[in-house]
Amino acid sequence: MAEPGPNVEDLYLESYAFTTAAAIVGSVDRKIFVLMRDGRKLFGILRTFDQFANLVLQDAVERIYLNDENDDNLSPQRYSEAYRGVFMIRGENVVMMGELDIDTEDDHLEKLQKIPFPEAETELKARQAAKIKTELAKSKTLLAKGLINDFVKSDLY
Amino acid sequence: MLFFSFFKTLVDQEVTVELKNDIEIRGTLKTVDQYLNLKLDNVICLNEDKYPHMQSVKNLFIRGSTVRYVHMSSNTVDCTLLQDASRREAMAQSAK
């Protein structure tokens, strides 16, 4: 893999000023992480993309972080990983994507306990189902008062 | 397109972006596009213990549709000008 010069991004920015493509082009062939709307966190090498932020990742790994209590405000104590290979992501499902520092990307995992993926997935699914249930109940209560709850079932990030 | 132009004037300023899932990210605004997708450099996540994978992230592309708020320093915004421009744009829209 040829390392692009430091000014590749600037070169593109000149011709594509303020486009989606210009924002992503600098991360091609780099290790990135993608947070998706369904809550999945994917780590892999960005190989290609387009103006909608559709992305293709190579050697993608999906990672789940879990904390011990069912409380969104706690920091995670456990994690799990599954190899996914090539992953094509439709742009509308992307929440954010960031370039990773490959020297430090695994540092935070040392403090966490690794658990088997099926176990983590089952627990996560149960929590998400519980969240959907409480949010839908909340929407119903708010709607009765003429208020809208900003929650969509597919938004679990 | 007014807010697109407005965000273009904020390029290279430090902003804090709050997403709909309560993640708060501070960084230097690098680019913005017509969907108000944002690209930040030198990012720090303000609730990092909750999202430990953000520690090693250098720059971040955020899809505009997931943003709740963008916080910026008040001296980077001319509110009167912005309000005026918004009204002009609204008037131009309704005249069509």
Side-chain angles (χ1 to χ4, degrees):
Chain A
M1 181 179 93
E3 187 68 16
N7 293 325
V8 159
E9 208 169 357
D10 294 339
L11 270 174
Y12 274 95
L13 284 181
E14 239 168 74
S15 51
Y16 279 114
F18 309 115
T19 64
T20 316
I24 306 178
V25 71
S27 299
V28 170
D29 292 343
R30 307 286 178 94
K31 182 94 185 261
I32 63 159
F33 103 89
V34 183
L35 175 64
M36 306 219 295
R37 284 202 313 149
D38 63 0
R40 281 182 213 232
K41 294 170 190 80
L42 290 161
F43 299 76
I45 300 153
L46 179 66
R47 286 305 184 193
T48 188
F49 68 92
D50 67 11
Q51 73 270 35
F52 309 110
N54 292 325
L55 308 170
V56 174
L57 297 187
Q58 189 184 26
D59 291 325
V61 170
E62 180 179 347
R63 198 180 287 153
I64 293 178
Y65 292 91
L66 286 171
N67 54 41
D68 284 339
E69 318 279 321
N70 194 1
D71 179 350
D72 282 346
N73 294 314
L74 290 174
S75 54
Q77 280 95 28
R78 290 166 296 155
Y79 79 98
S80 189
E81 281 181 344
Y83 182 75
R84 295 288 190 221
V86 175
F87 221 92
M88 202 199 130
I89 303 165
R90 192 175 155 86
E92 64 176 327
N93 298 307
V94 174
V95 174
M96 58 185 179
M97 54 161 278
E99 223 174 283
L100 291 168
D101 184 345
I102 51 171
D103 295 327
T104 58
E105 60 163 330
D106 292 332
D107 287 2
H108 68 279
L109 296 177
E110 283 169 19
K111 284 176 263 165
L112 307 179
Q113 183 203 348
K114 189 169 181 173
I115 58 171
F117 196 80
E119 194 184 304
E121 208 176 23
T122 318
E123 191 174 335
L124 185 71
K125 287 251 168 72
R127 285 190 191 188
Q128 288 178 338
K131 189 185 171 187
I132 290 173
K133 216 175 154 190
T134 47
E135 286 292 333
L136 288 181
K138 201 169 140 192
S139 300
K140 219 174 165 183
T141 327
L142 284 170
L143 196 62
K145 296 185 161 100
L147 298 166
I148 295 286
N149 183 21
D150 191 11
F151 176 76
V152 194
K153 242 195 207 170
S154 56
D155 281 353
L156 294 164
Y157 54 90
Chain B
M1 291 301 267
L2 173 67
F3 277 83
F4 173 42
S5 315
F6 168 64
F7 274 104
K8 279 198 280 188
T9 67
L10 291 174
V11 165
D12 288 329
Q13 304 278 357
E14 175 141 301
V15 295
T16 307
V17 180
E18 184 181 325
L19 303 189
K20 289 179 188 168
N21 60 348
D22 301 329
I23 300 187
E24 282 188 64
I25 300 142
R26 179 173 300 158
T28 316
L29 184 65
K30 272 328 213 188
T31 64
V32 57
D33 63 21
Q34 74 268 38
Y35 311 109
L36 304 188
N37 295 331
L38 308 170
K39 171 95 186 268
L40 304 181
D41 261 8
N42 305 317
V43 292
I44 26 167
C45 184
L46 299 183
N47 24 22
E48 204 156 69
D49 28 319
K50 227 175 109 184
Y51 309 100
H53 59 285
M54 297 293 292
Q55 274 164 14
S56 48
V57 174
K58 294 186 285 188
N59 56 49
L60 202 60
F61 169 84
I62 303 170
R63 210 173 143 91
S65 58
T66 65
V67 173
R68 184 183 288 142
Y69 300 120
V70 179
H71 309 255
M72 68 220 52
S73 155
S74 58
N75 54 36
T76 58
V77 194
D78 185 340
C79 282
T80 349
L81 189 71
L82 193 60
Q83 187 180 17
D84 201 46
S86 310
R87 288 186 180 170
R88 274 171 209 273
E89 189 171 73
M91 265 159 68
Q93 289 278 318
S94 58
K96 265 182 213 163

